[in-house]
Amino acid sequence: GAAHNNPLPGDSNDSHSQWSMRRRLAAQDGPRSAVLDSLHRDLEGWRLLGANSSRFPDMESTLCRIVANRPDRGKGNPTLSNTVLLRSLNGGLSAAVLIDPADSAGPAGHWPARAVAMLLQLSVLQEAINVGTLDPLPDFVALLNPHDMPRQASRTTNWAGLLPILSSSRRRRILKHRDLLMPDYSFSPSAYLTSGLWQSGRNRTDNASRRWEAAVPRGWPDEFRAILRAGRSAAWREKERTLFWRGARTHNMRGKYAHALLSGQVHLPAGIKADIQPPCVGHCSAEQGAVPPSSWCRHQLLLSLPGVSFAVGFKYLLLCGSLIVRGAANGTVPEFEQWFHPGLRAQEHFVDSSSIGDLEAVVSEAVSDSTRADAIATNAREFGESVLNPTFVLLYWHALLSGYATLFDWRQALHSGPWLDATEACRRRSTPQPLHRAEELCFSCGGGSPLDLSGETLFSPLPPPAELRPLAASQPAAWHRHYARVLPRRFSVEGREADRESRAALGRYLRRTGGGEARLATPAG
């Protein structure tokens, strides 16, 4: 454990490539090596995908392809709203939070606080670069998707020649997403920011809100230390002989497992009790049995169940030193991969239950051999202690963005002003796969300025963490509005009714965040 608290490797005077850091870390630590090697393979896959294409970063076509692949023409996920556009230029990071002009729910309807959580993480990264702890990043512009669902399904869409999207999770089966994996919003350094900009219990003082806050995780460095301390406090044999689970109603399998355990359909081994509550709507409250993640570590057995997307709580389980039982692990429920998953293996870091029918046998076998159970629980905790350490999270961000930057030649896009005039932007046909109808609409805008990735209209610099943290935790709406930029109308392919809805939703957002006019992503809108 102590080895992972050493200063970050990397020196501003280091003449080696950014990937030298990956090789140094690989020699130090097996779990970290697995994570970074997986990232390297993902980057090489994108390099091969674009081998026959121009290395020019085609941001306009990438955004249009996202628009065209909306499952229900903009009224559902994915939406461009709250996507973070991140720029590294001459060693400095700046960002914009995109507002989708066709979003009938408006920016407040799509997890806006997650965009602020991403800015917090990136601000800490910039500070590490400023003080020389990490090498300066190369120039680039990246799209960061903070939503639950990945964007780049490879079986239904050709992404050759376009930009990778950085997402919190992806699926390897069924659609086989190509998104590059980034740390999600819950790794924010100073606050747990997930949903609305105004409804957070942290911004209120009533008793219900205080109880809500007590059960919600904190910023990741504090949460990491608290859970790890709790996980180390007792050996596996000394923990309470209980199978524990709490969670939201994000997948019907959660309700089925909870019902089976609460109704007695599943009979746990003698001496093992079930500490289970029915799934909650939204974040569980204290009245619904919610407790801070560090309290989960009291239990010998922790149940992990699939959700609608990635399971935020899985990383908390890894740190507890308890035996993790993964439910519904039979391949029929979509499994979402996160950035820290490479290197995790069944029977080494957790045990799998394929269905409710085998849960009793899985638990019985696990607790029958306490030496083996203790070894699996310890493996998980040591893996989490290494890979989930805030120091390594920052290193992973640096390796991800450094590697991403090498996929394209950014000189023209970032040092030559707008790369297309309005006419060219609307008739561009550079993607290897022919444009389909929605993309034709996106490019037949008949006017408007292209995105200027090199100018100052689109981006705002990231402030130091000491400046951003207090307001991000107490007034996330203010920071969201500071970075918000409304995309050009050519990214709207909806009819008049949807157009009215999106304008009304944007108006509500503007009024609630101080009034005034929206800032546009391009001067002409």
Side-chain angles (χ1 to χ4, degrees):
H4 306 317
N5 296 319
N6 291 335
L8 300 175
D11 186 315
S12 58
N13 297 319
D14 186 0
S15 61
H16 294 86
S17 72
Q18 303 292 350
W19 281 103
S20 66
M21 176 167 58
R22 183 182 68 84
R23 290 191 292 273
R24 292 199 300 273
L25 283 168
Q28 297 175 15
D29 189 295
R32 294 181 177 187
S33 172
V35 169
L36 291 169
D37 284 344
S38 178
L39 171 61
H40 181 66
R41 288 192 296 272
D42 289 343
L43 291 167
E44 288 305 304
W46 272 97
R47 208 180 310 278
L48 292 172
L49 185 67
N52 298 320
S53 305
S54 166
R55 291 190 70 241
F56 186 88
D58 195 342
M59 182 65 71
E60 297 269 342
S61 293
T62 303
L63 289 170
C64 280
R65 188 140 290 180
I66 296 172
V67 169
N69 281 276
R70 291 170 177 164
D72 51 3
R73 299 297 303 280
K75 293 186 179 180
N77 226 359
T79 173
L80 293 178
S81 285
N82 299 318
T83 298
V84 175
L85 197 63
L86 176 68
R87 181 178 69 178
S88 174
L89 184 63
N90 300 323
L93 293 175
S94 55
V97 177
L98 303 182
I99 306 301
D100 192 326
D103 184 1
S104 57
H110 297 285
W111 311 100
R114 296 185 181 186
V116 180
M118 307 314 298
L119 298 177
L120 277 166
Q121 295 188 63
L122 296 165
S123 175
V124 174
L125 178 63
Q126 179 68 73
E127 183 179 55
I129 293 170
N130 290 345
V131 300
T133 305
L134 288 172
D135 299 330
L137 289 166
D139 292 349
F140 66 83
V141 178
L143 284 164
L144 279 60
N145 165 35
H147 298 291
D148 282 335
M149 295 297 176
R151 292 267 174 83
Q152 293 181 298
S154 61
R155 283 189 175 176
T156 58
T157 306
N158 185 354
W159 297 96
L162 301 181
L163 302 178
I165 299 168
L166 279 55
S167 293
S168 302
S169 68
R170 67 184 174 207
R171 285 186 287 183
R172 283 297 196 187
R173 299 173 180 172
I174 308 173
L175 295 177
K176 291 191 176 180
H177 290 92
R178 298 195 65 96
D179 307 51
L180 294 177
L181 292 173
M182 67 178 183
D184 67 78
Y185 61 89
S186 64
F187 287 94
S188 172
S190 56
Y192 184 82
L193 298 165
T194 175
S195 53
L197 297 172
W198 303 281
Q199 292 81 14
S200 170
R202 300 181 190 278
N203 299 337
R204 297 156 49 192
T205 58
D206 56 82
N207 289 333
S209 295
R210 282 194 289 270
R211 290 193 296 271
W212 177 90
E213 183 175 353
V216 170
R218 293 161 288 185
W220 180 241
D222 289 340
E223 201 62 55
F224 173 84
R225 286 189 290 268
I227 301 172
L228 191 58
R229 189 181 307 116
R232 288 171 168 174
S233 64
W236 186 81
R237 293 175 178 83
E238 299 168 359
K239 295 175 182 282
E240 296 178 14
R241 290 176 59 78
T242 46
L243 175 67
F244 176 88
W245 182 81
R246 298 289 188 276
R249 190 189 305 162
T250 57
H251 196 283
N252 61 7
M253 194 59 68
R254 293 184 166 198
K256 292 179 179 179
Y257 265 82
H259 175 74
L261 286 160
L262 291 170
S263 67
Q265 178 184 345
V266 172
H267 299 282
L268 296 176
I272 301 292
K273 297 180 180 179
D275 188 345
I276 307 289
Q277 292 291 331
C280 312
V281 177
H283 287 291
C284 295
S285 66
E287 289 84 354
Q288 295 169 308
V291 293
S294 57
S295 296
W296 303 355
C297 302
R298 300 197 312 264
H299 308 277
Q300 281 191 346
L301 300 157
L302 299 176
L303 184 61
S304 175
L305 294 172
V308 67
S309 179
F310 60 94
V312 172
F314 185 66
K315 62 179 174 293
Y316 308 141
L317 306 185
L318 286 172
L319 294 170
C320 269
S322 302
L323 183 63
I324 301 169
V325 181
R326 287 201 323 159
N330 57 9
T332 60
V333 176
E335 185 173 348
F336 288 85
E337 177 187 12
Q338 293 183 264
W339 69 273
F340 59 88
H341 284 186
L344 287 170
R345 290 179 288 273
Q347 310 307 321
E348 183 177 340
H349 301 99
F350 51 82
V351 295
D352 276 343
S353 160
S354 297
S355 64
I356 294 171
D358 75 355
L359 180 59
E360 180 180 343
V362 168
V363 173
S364 296
E365 181 182 358
V367 299
S368 67
D369 186 343
S370 60
T371 300
R372 176 174 173 270
D374 179 76
I376 294 173
T378 300
N379 289 343
R381 194 196 69 223
E382 291 178 349
F383 184 98
E385 183 178 355
S386 171
V387 171
L388 299 173
N389 189 304
T391 295
F392 183 68
V393 177
L394 201 62
L395 284 168
Y396 179 86
W397 266 115
H398 192 271
L400 168 63
L401 295 174
S402 298
Y404 166 87
T406 66
L407 298 177
F408 299 94
D409 184 348
W410 296 95
R411 289 172 294 183
Q412 182 182 356
L414 290 178
H415 298 282
S416 303
W419 65 280
L420 295 172
D421 61 31
T423 303
E424 288 176 310
C426 294
R427 71 186 183 200
R428 182 155 169 76
R429 299 290 184 270
S430 67
T431 54
Q433 183 183 32
L435 302 177
H436 47 70
R437 182 176 178 275
E439 289 174 313
E440 292 285 350
L441 289 169
C442 182
F443 278 118
S444 61
C445 55
S449 302
L451 297 176
D452 182 2
L453 303 181
S454 64
E456 302 306 317
T457 300
L458 186 53
F459 298 95
S460 291
L462 293 178
E467 179 182 340
L468 180 57
R469 284 175 178 172
L471 282 178
S474 62
Q475 302 176 41
W479 277 109
H480 189 278
R481 177 67 183 274
H482 178 73
Y483 288 94
R485 303 290 189 274
V486 179
L487 283 164
R489 297 301 301 174
R490 67 175 173 276
F491 293 107
S492 172
V493 294
E494 304 303 315
R496 293 181 179 178
E497 181 179 353
D499 189 59
R500 287 196 300 269
E501 292 174 356
S502 63
R503 289 179 184 274
L506 178 60
R508 292 192 295 272
Y509 164 80
L510 295 174
R511 288 191 296 273
R512 295 198 70 181
T513 54
E517 296 294 322
R519 297 180 69 177
L520 305 178
T522 60

